[in-house]
Amino acid sequence: MEKPAFVRIPKGSTLDEMSRLFEVDKDYLKRHHNIYCEYNDLIEKEFPKHLVKLFVPTKNKEYETSLISGGEMIIFFPEDILVKNKLFHKKYGIRQILHENGTEKTKMSFMMEVEKVAKSGYSIVRNNIYINNRAPDLVTEQMVEKVGNIFFPLEVETLENGNLKQITNIDEIRKRWKILQSEISKYYQGRTAEKIIETINDELADKNMIQNRILGSLFYRLYFLPFRDYISDQENEFDLYLPLFPFKNKVKYQVMMSKKPVFSETGKMILEIKGKLTDIRNFNEMVNGTKALEPEEDRIIQCDGSINALYQFNKEDGSVFSLEAEIILTNDDNSKSRKIIFELYQQ
């Protein structure tokens, strides 16, 4: 006789919830379980408090989010996987390619380390930056890289859904800048150095400006999306502001999860997100980071754009395993365009 399939009941689940999951009447699910279970595990009106194993019907139903072995069916709920309760330390290789008007302009690659150090706390380190397959060697490139490095290690606290709550090591970042500012003033001359010093001094004086710089990183914006919100509200669309132009106002897209999460053959949870441009500004206004002159209700969308992002998550700790994203922006007559390809892979 074939062994009946059973599941480990997720903590806090009810008979109603499990019956909806298996798409059967709850009385039928209860009767099915009671046929195969031990006497002490019989279900009456609700699950006994001690019950951890539920016998379930599997005929004529495929469970894309299940792994079956020896009669036992272990169900993984996407929402539970994305509750990042476990600490982790991941290293990623990242490549970001910018196309302008159909021509590849810059290719940047770098390494990022993301360590989850607390329930909502992360430490982020950036290393090994290459631009167009070479390390920064021009004076301006080296200066910009050094300035960018003062923000790392970056320590942040997130909200429950993953959005940024606050940077927790701002004082340390400011101390790094004081040391670097002295070095820049000593070794770099000219208006470029003066402008960089002036800009960073303004940013570091304002906590909100510092956080806006962090959110201006495409890595940060895509890595810390509120994925659980997307899954729990599958029919809803969400506003997503993307940093397509450095140090300018972000460009507004509207995104949603394109289909329910599934598991790959290697056990990674796959989540696909798609969206369209909803920013009412014209292309030049986005390039310059300015606001639309007309009231929003009096203006139609003048550009076209899309975002397609494919994520894979590690089910053991909810961390991102890989990301492949393409973001497109074009003006109304297709004479100007901007495309960013962003790829991230766990090392």
Side-chain angles (χ1 to χ4, degrees), residues 38-101:
E38 300 291 337
Y39 178 79
N40 290 336
D41 291 339
L42 288 171
I43 300 173
E44 294 183 3
K45 292 183 178 181
E46 192 48 82
F47 294 147
K49 290 184 178 180
H50 69 274
L51 187 65
V52 295
K53 182 197 298 187
L54 175 67
F55 290 96
V56 295
T58 60
K59 187 176 180 181
N60 298 326
K61 183 169 176 61
E62 295 180 358
Y63 295 94
E64 292 182 303
T65 58
S66 304
L67 300 177
I68 302 177
S69 176
E72 178 178 1
M73 181 186 298
I74 307 172
I75 296 181
F76 297 100
F77 292 91
E79 297 90 338
D80 295 336
I81 288 176
L82 294 174
V83 176
K84 297 179 175 64
N85 288 329
K86 294 185 178 179
L87 305 184
F88 59 76
H89 188 173
K90 307 292 183 181
K91 294 183 179 181
Y92 299 100
I94 296 170
R95 185 172 67 162
Q96 184 173 320
I97 304 173
L98 170 63
H99 294 260
E100 286 189 344
N101 305 325

Side-chain angles (χ1 to χ4, degrees), residues 138-151 176-178 180-185 187-205 209 213 247:
L138 300 177
V139 172
T140 302
E141 290 178 347
Q142 292 175 350
M143 189 162 40
V144 170
E145 182 190 14
K146 288 181 178 180
V147 170
N149 286 340
I150 68 169
F151 293 92
R176 293 179 203 147
W177 170 239
K178 285 184 177 180
L180 181 62
Q181 181 180 352
S182 176
E183 179 183 329
I184 291 177
S185 299
Y187 293 103
Y188 299 97
Q189 303 296 323
R191 181 55 187 159
T192 299
E194 294 174 358
K195 184 65 175 177
I196 289 176
I197 290 174
E198 180 182 333
T199 300
I200 299 302
N201 279 333
D202 289 343
E203 286 188 8
L204 294 184
M209 289 183 69
R213 169 180 274 268
F247 311 114

